[in-house]
């Protein structure tokens, strides 16, 4: 019997989760409640094989039945529902959790907290494609694994199993042996366990009830968990299961093992960390400041390996490469970053702050005309395949680049900098605040708002601006350097002033102008820029819009189906297709099509799954785009 080590495990175990920047410990209680008088389920009589288990779990609100008064013990159970029952049985904290990052289990999922708590405790995992498949079924083999890990049963090696469908080459063999040794299972028959069969609601109740019996210990009420001690110290070293700070050495939970690893030690050594400690274990980290530096030849790498980190992260070392991390708080790039910092496959949900007092703007290395106030730029900061909410730049002289599939919502600039972005990236909003005297933008921008009358803005040769907003009483030529050269790349000024299209000499005997031919690529870029300047507030409009030129689709995600479908006018479809090389006849047809759609479906919930819009360019080419209307999941 493997109860012998459980009492020690019970006293020492901590199911760790993260709570708003701090890990919180919760002691699991596996004590079994006395059997209740019975259940009221019409399909679970007192003669039912799972009656006692279902009665016990129902009395503790771990399971419940259906509105028709049944429990349906023979019905297969979903992965999400099984996770909920297991988390409740283990008394895990389902509120203060680390987001496991499953694409199909968002924070508003009814069982999000239960699933996240089990992942945090190392009891379950998702799939390699970052999904959990909550509606999928669960096999008996997987349940066996969950029970062994969740109830901390000491694992037995395969020895005396009577089940012919379990052998030592199967990954779950020892888990099933452990259940059999602890009298938690007797199989589906005397000689079979049916490891690949989907588990039922009745079997899950029985498995948990018997696991509680196998690990039952008599304990008084669980004492309140003592408050964690807040500390701040310099990181000195990391071993396999402990981290050494200048003021002490502590164990750390499994959720942090990928960050506190030997491969990240060079970057973390010397870092100033604010953390919480409980019973010799780190249970919370609220901020980390990296102070180590690499070299131009070898950057120091900090690889989060997919971790969601709830605190703030500051980089105050040079030549650092940060990757594979989601930061719930702020990312700050400090003044010690003097040459290079790379941010790759990182999501920052708070602000990204690039700060320090430094000098000027650098010369171009790619043909754009950059102004120079002093020497070469202080720092080159590159975001690669990253997702950034907003970037606040007060660090003068920096070159800030956005590459690959990076998405950034907003830039707020109050220092002399150079902004670059790959051709496929459009920055929806850029604001030039007071303090920025010379700024170069070599990137496509939706809205470029300049608040300082004294600013001098240089645009790259291929930079496109959908809407330029200037200070009152200031002309574009007074702020935009070489304005006559780049004015053709500015579609609107202050929202309503059209940019004159350069005339092209006529081909006949007389004068006149000819509209230049428009390519598909030019048209789609222009539409992207126009849509980037359209403000759609989901809470007001009930929709968000995403234009995907690569697949010729516009995805309209409906968040509130009760809203009026006249909001489609707010999508700016007609406006987006106007003045970018679309024939007047085609514009009129698109307008009529949308008017008819709104008339036939006055509410968003009545819209069809999709419609096709035909766009005929002035060059004669006709393009077809599919508008998908994605209804909210009920």
């Amino acid at each position: 019997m493997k109860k012998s080590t459980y009492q020690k495990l019970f006293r020492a175990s901590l199911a760790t989760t993260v709570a708003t920047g701090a890990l919180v410990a919760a002691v699991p209680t596996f004590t079994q409640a006395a059997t209740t008088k019975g259940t009221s389920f019409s399909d679970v009589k007192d003669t039912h094989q799972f009656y006692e288990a279902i009665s016990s779990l129902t009395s503790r609100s771990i399971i419940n039945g259906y509105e028709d008064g049944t429990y349906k013990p023979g019905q297969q159970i979903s992965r999400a529902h099984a996770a909920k029952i297991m988390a409740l049985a283990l008394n895990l904290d389902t509120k203060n959790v680390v987001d496991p990052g499953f694409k199909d289990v968002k924070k508003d999922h009814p069982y999000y907290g239960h699933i996240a708590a089990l992942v945090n405790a190392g009891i379950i995992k998702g799939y390699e494609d970052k999904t959990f498949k909550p509606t999928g079924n669960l096999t008996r083999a997987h349940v066996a694994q969950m029970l062994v890990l969740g109830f901390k049963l000491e694992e037995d090696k395969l020895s005396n199993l009577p089940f012919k469908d379990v052998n030592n080459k199967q990954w779950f063999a020892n888990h099933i042996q452990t259940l059999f040794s602890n009298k938690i299972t007797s199989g589906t028959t005397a000689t079979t366990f049916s490891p690949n069969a989907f588990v039922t609601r009745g079997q899950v109740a029985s498995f948990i009830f018997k696991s509680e019996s196998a690990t039952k210990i008599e304990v008084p009420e669980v004492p309140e968990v003592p408050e964690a001690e807040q500390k701040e110290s310099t990181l000195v070293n990391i071993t396999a299961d402990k981290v050494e700070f200048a003021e002490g050495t502590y164990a750390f939970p499994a959720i942090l093992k990928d960050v506190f690893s030997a491969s990240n030690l060079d970057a973390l050594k010397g870092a100033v960390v604010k953390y919480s400690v409980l019973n010799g274990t780190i249970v919370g980290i609220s901020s980390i400041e990296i102070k180590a530096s690499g070299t131009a030849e070898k950057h120091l790498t900090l690889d989060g390996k997919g971790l969601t980190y709830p605190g703030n992260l500051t980089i105050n070392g040079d030549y650092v490469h940060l990757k594979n991390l989601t930061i719930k708080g702020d990312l700050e790039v400090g003044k010690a970053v003097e040459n290079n910092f790379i941010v790759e496959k990182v999501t920052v949900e708070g602000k990204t702050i690039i700060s320090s007092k430094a000098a000027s703007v650098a010369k171009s290395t790619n043909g754009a005309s950059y102004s120079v106030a002093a020497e070469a730029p202080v720092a080159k900061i590159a975001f690669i395949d990253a997702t950034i909410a907003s970037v606040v730049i007060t660090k003068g002289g920096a070159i800030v680049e956005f590459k690959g599939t990076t998405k950034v919502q907003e830039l707020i600039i109050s220092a002399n900098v150079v902004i670059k972005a790959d051709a496929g990236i459009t920055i929806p909003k850029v604001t030039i605040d007071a303090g920025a005297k010379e700024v170069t933008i070599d990137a496509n921008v939706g809205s470029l708002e300049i608040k300082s009358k004294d600013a001098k803005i240089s645009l790259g040769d291929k930079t496109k601006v959908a809407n330029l907003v200037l200070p009152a009483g200031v002309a574009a030529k007074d702020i935009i350097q070489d304005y006559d050269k780049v004015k053709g790349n500015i579609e609107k000024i202050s929202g309503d002033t059209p940019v004159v299209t350069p005339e092209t000499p006529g081909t006949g005997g007389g004068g006149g102008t000819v509209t230049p031919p428009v390519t598909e690529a030019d048209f789609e870029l222009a539409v992207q820029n126009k849509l980037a300047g359209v403000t759609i507030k989901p809470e007001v409009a009930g929709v968000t819009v995403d234009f995907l030129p690569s697949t010729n689709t516009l995805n309209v995600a409906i968040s509130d189906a009760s809203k009026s479908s006249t909001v489609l006018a707010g999508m700016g479809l007609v406006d987006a297709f106007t003045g970018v090389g679309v024939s007047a006849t085609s514009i009129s047809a698109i307008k009529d099509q949308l008017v008819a759609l709104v008339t036939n479906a006055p509410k968003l919930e009545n819209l069809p799954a999709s419609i096709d819009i035909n766009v005929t360019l002035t060059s004669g080419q006709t393009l077809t785009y599919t508008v998908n209307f994605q209804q909210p999941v009920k």
Side-chain angles (χ1 to χ4, degrees), residues 6 26 48 69 115 186 218 249 276 486 539 606:
Y6 179 76
H48 195 283
I115 293 168
S186 57
E218 299 299 330
T249 300
S276 305
V486 299
E539 67 272 17
N606 298 322

Side-chain angles (χ1 to χ4, degrees), residues 410-552:
E410 180 182 20
L411 297 187
I412 301 172
I413 301 170
S414 56
N416 298 342
V417 294
V418 172
I419 304 297
K420 299 182 182 182
D422 287 352
I425 298 173
T426 295
I427 304 172
K429 184 177 181 180
V430 176
T431 302
I432 309 296
D433 275 340
K437 302 300 183 184
E438 298 182 4
V439 175
T440 296
I441 299 177
D442 194 9
N444 294 322
V445 177
S447 172
L448 174 58
E449 181 177 2
I450 302 170
K451 294 185 176 181
S452 172
K453 294 182 178 181
D454 299 325
K456 301 298 180 184
I457 310 300
S458 298
L459 300 181
D461 294 339
K462 296 183 179 180
T463 294
K464 293 186 181 298
V465 178
N467 188 33
L468 175 63
V469 181
L470 299 169
V474 177
K477 62 183 179 63
D478 296 329
I479 285 184
I480 305 299
Q481 304 299 289
D482 297 323
Y483 176 67
D484 288 337
K485 180 181 177 182
V486 299
K487 64 182 181 181
N489 292 342
I490 304 172
E491 293 185 29
K492 289 185 178 181
I493 297 178
S494 296
D496 55 9
T497 305
V499 177
V500 178
T501 303
E503 293 188 353
T504 302
T507 56
T513 62
V514 177
T515 302
V518 177
T519 66
E520 180 178 354
D522 288 340
F523 161 73
E524 290 179 335
L525 179 59
V527 173
Q528 277 186 306
N529 288 337
K530 280 206 164 189
L531 285 175
V534 176
T535 299
I536 301 176
K537 297 181 178 180
E539 67 272 17
V540 176
V543 300
T544 55
V545 182
D546 191 16
F547 180 41
L548 305 173
S550 61
T551 57
N552 282 24

Side-chain angles (χ1 to χ4, degrees), residues 275-507:
Y275 52 98
S276 305
V277 175
L278 181 65
N279 296 334
T281 298
I282 293 176
V283 293
I285 295 178
S286 59
S287 74
I288 301 174
E289 181 180 4
I290 303 297
K291 302 182 76 172
S293 295
T295 64
E297 294 75 23
K298 185 179 180 181
H299 283 51
L300 292 182
T301 298
L302 179 59
D303 188 349
K305 298 182 180 179
L307 177 74
T308 296
Y309 167 59
N312 300 321
L313 178 62
T314 299
I315 305 298
N316 244 328
D318 210 358
Y319 296 111
V320 175
H321 186 172
L322 177 68
K323 63 181 183 179
N324 302 323
L325 184 66
T326 294
I327 301 171
K328 293 286 189 179
D330 296 339
L331 170 64
E332 182 168 1
V333 182
K335 63 182 180 180
V337 179
E338 297 181 346
N339 290 282
N340 193 257
F341 174 48
I342 299 172
V343 184
E344 181 180 6
K345 295 181 179 178
V346 170
T347 296
V348 183
E349 297 185 8
K351 290 182 179 180
T352 297
I353 305 164
I354 302 174
S355 66
S356 83
K357 296 178 181 179
S360 81
V361 179
K363 282 187 177 181
S364 166
T365 56
N366 67 351
S369 178
Y370 297 156
S371 60
V372 178
E375 300 179 353
V378 173
K380 185 174 181 181
I381 300 162
F383 296 88
I384 305 171
D385 300 335
T387 301
I388 310 296
S390 65
V391 181
V392 178
I393 305 175
T394 61
K395 185 185 188 76
I399 291 181
V400 182
E401 297 181 289
F402 302 98
K403 299 183 175 184
T405 60
T406 292
K407 294 180 180 179
V408 56
Q409 295 179 10
E410 180 182 20
L411 297 187
I412 301 172
I413 301 170
S414 56
N416 298 342
V417 294
V418 172
I419 304 297
K420 299 182 182 182
D422 287 352
I425 298 173
T426 295
I427 304 172
K429 184 177 181 180
V430 176
T431 302
I432 309 296
D433 275 340
K437 302 300 183 184
E438 298 182 4
V439 175
T440 296
I441 299 177
D442 194 9
N444 294 322
V445 177
S447 172
L448 174 58
E449 181 177 2
I450 302 170
K451 294 185 176 181
S452 172
K453 294 182 178 181
D454 299 325
K456 301 298 180 184
I457 310 300
S458 298
L459 300 181
D461 294 339
K462 296 183 179 180
T463 294
K464 293 186 181 298
V465 178
N467 188 33
L468 175 63
V469 181
L470 299 169
V474 177
K477 62 183 179 63
D478 296 329
I479 285 184
I480 305 299
Q481 304 299 289
D482 297 323
Y483 176 67
D484 288 337
K485 180 181 177 182
V486 299
K487 64 182 181 181
N489 292 342
I490 304 172
E491 293 185 29
K492 289 185 178 181
I493 297 178
S494 296
D496 55 9
T497 305
V499 177
V500 178
T501 303
E503 293 188 353
T504 302
T507 56

Side-chain angles (χ1 to χ4, degrees), residues 100-111:
F102 296 134
K103 294 186 290 187
D104 53 357
V105 183
K106 302 301 182 184
K107 291 183 178 179
D108 57 356
H109 190 285
Y111 300 147

Side-chain angles (χ1 to χ4, degrees), residues 107-400:
K107 291 183 178 179
D108 57 356
H109 190 285
Y111 300 147
Y112 164 80
H114 306 90
I115 293 168
L118 290 179
V119 173
N120 295 168
I123 297 170
I124 61 173
K125 296 180 180 179
Y127 293 86
E128 291 184 357
D129 62 355
K130 297 290 185 180
T131 64
F132 180 71
K133 298 181 175 41
T135 59
N137 296 120
L138 200 63
T139 65
R140 288 169 55 84
H142 278 112
V143 171
Q145 182 186 44
M146 291 171 64
L147 293 169
V148 171
L149 296 176
F151 287 93
K152 301 186 183 298
L153 298 168
E154 188 172 328
E155 189 172 307
D156 274 344
K157 299 294 184 183
L158 184 65
S159 58
N160 63 336
L161 272 185
F163 308 136
K164 295 179 180 180
D165 54 357
V166 179
N167 60 66
N168 58 12
K169 294 182 179 180
Q170 296 165 316
W171 63 268
F172 48 75
N174 290 348
H175 297 140
I176 295 172
Q177 176 69 63
T178 303
L179 297 192
F180 183 76
S181 299
N182 285 278
K183 299 181 180 180
I184 296 170
T185 184
S186 57
T188 51
T189 71
T191 58
T192 61
F193 180 78
S194 305
N196 296 318
F198 292 134
V199 71
T200 66
R201 288 168 54 83
Q203 290 170 349
V204 164
S206 177
F207 276 137
I208 290 177
F209 181 72
K210 290 182 178 180
S211 295
E212 289 177 329
S213 297
T215 57
K216 181 180 178 183
I217 57 174
E218 299 299 330
V219 293
E221 290 186 13
V222 178
E224 292 185 8
V225 177
E227 186 176 347
E229 184 180 0
Q230 308 300 312
K231 294 178 177 288
E232 178 177 351
S233 187
T234 301
L235 192 147
V236 176
N237 193 23
I238 298 171
T239 61
D241 58 357
K242 293 188 177 183
V243 57
E244 179 184 351
F245 291 100
E247 63 82 33
T249 300
Y250 306 98
F252 55 83
I255 195 73
L256 295 177
K257 66 181 179 63
D258 287 335
V259 173
F260 285 157
S261 63
S263 59
N264 285 332
L265 178 57
D266 287 345
L268 289 170
K269 186 175 290 187
V272 176
V273 184
K274 293 181 180 179
Y275 52 98
S276 305
V277 175
L278 181 65
N279 296 334
T281 298
I282 293 176
V283 293
I285 295 178
S286 59
S287 74
I288 301 174
E289 181 180 4
I290 303 297
K291 302 182 76 172
S293 295
T295 64
E297 294 75 23
K298 185 179 180 181
H299 283 51
L300 292 182
T301 298
L302 179 59
D303 188 349
K305 298 182 180 179
L307 177 74
T308 296
Y309 167 59
N312 300 321
L313 178 62
T314 299
I315 305 298
N316 244 328
D318 210 358
Y319 296 111
V320 175
H321 186 172
L322 177 68
K323 63 181 183 179
N324 302 323
L325 184 66
T326 294
I327 301 171
K328 293 286 189 179
D330 296 339
L331 170 64
E332 182 168 1
V333 182
K335 63 182 180 180
V337 179
E338 297 181 346
N339 290 282
N340 193 257
F341 174 48
I342 299 172
V343 184
E344 181 180 6
K345 295 181 179 178
V346 170
T347 296
V348 183
E349 297 185 8
K351 290 182 179 180
T352 297
I353 305 164
I354 302 174
S355 66
S356 83
K357 296 178 181 179
S360 81
V361 179
K363 282 187 177 181
S364 166
T365 56
N366 67 351
S369 178
Y370 297 156
S371 60
V372 178
E375 300 179 353
V378 173
K380 185 174 181 181
I381 300 162
F383 296 88
I384 305 171
D385 300 335
T387 301
I388 310 296
S390 65
V391 181
V392 178
I393 305 175
T394 61
K395 185 185 188 76
I399 291 181
V400 182

